[in-house]
Amino acid sequence: MTLAWACAGMALDEQKGRPMTMPYADGDAPLIPRPELTLPALRQAVATVAPSRLPEFFEDLQRAFVRAGDEDSVVPIRMFYRQWGVIVEIERHPETARRLHAAEAALNSSDPAERDRAVQEAGDIVRAAHREVAGG
């Protein structure tokens, strides 16, 4: 997931020349409603849509609170909520999550064109999830 976040530059619809907004596939109905960006809601959402990622969730939570204390700022906690809101936004759409995971796997391809497509796909998905979490 880390590389997908790093590769989230702007993408344009090549046919229309304007930003792409919704890479969600038709029929990619969400498994759960979008949770609020609160610790209990995000914890429950992760447990539902990506239970294998709960240890990562709690490690990130601990790092965010330590950093918040070190910096005397709530910004790291807000960033944690936003990051995991985006992860849940992707994972609650099974087809979108499948596409992201396939793109992440394709980043290891020996074919540069395939890697470029994977970077584009992952970036499109992550940007769209950020927009949705931010309110559309």
Side-chain angles (χ1 to χ4, degrees):
M1 186 69 166
T2 304
L3 191 51
W5 289 82
C7 299
M10 288 301 293
L12 295 178
D13 181 326
E14 292 179 16
Q15 295 175 348
K16 298 176 184 168
R18 58 181 179 227
M20 296 174 65
T21 58
M22 289 300 293
Y24 297 125
D26 289 341
D28 192 18
L31 298 172
I32 60 171
R34 182 175 301 120
E36 293 182 22
L37 297 182
T38 65
L39 183 56
L42 287 171
R43 180 180 52 230
Q44 180 60 45
V46 172
T48 302
V49 300
S52 66
R53 296 191 71 180
L54 277 171
E56 178 186 359
F57 176 86
F58 288 115
E59 288 169 12
D60 286 354
L61 174 65
Q62 184 173 354
R63 277 194 297 273
F65 273 87
V66 167
R67 188 170 165 211
D70 290 347
E71 297 175 9
D72 195 26
S73 171
V74 297
V75 171
I77 297 167
R78 289 184 180 162
M79 290 172 53
F80 165 83
Y81 288 150
R82 179 69 176 263
Q83 172 190 348
W84 280 93
V86 168
I87 290 168
V88 167
E89 180 62 26
I90 292 166
E91 294 294 333
R92 72 189 195 98
H93 294 272
E95 179 59 21
T96 301
R98 184 204 60 74
R99 288 176 34 233
L100 178 62
H101 300 310
E104 290 172 333
L107 293 172
N108 295 320
S109 172
S110 60
D111 178 2
E114 186 175 343
R115 287 193 310 268
D116 289 347
R117 284 190 299 274
V119 167
Q120 184 70 46
E121 176 79 353
D124 289 348
I125 291 168
V126 170
R127 277 189 303 281
H130 271 281
R131 282 190 298 274
E132 291 300 315
V133 169

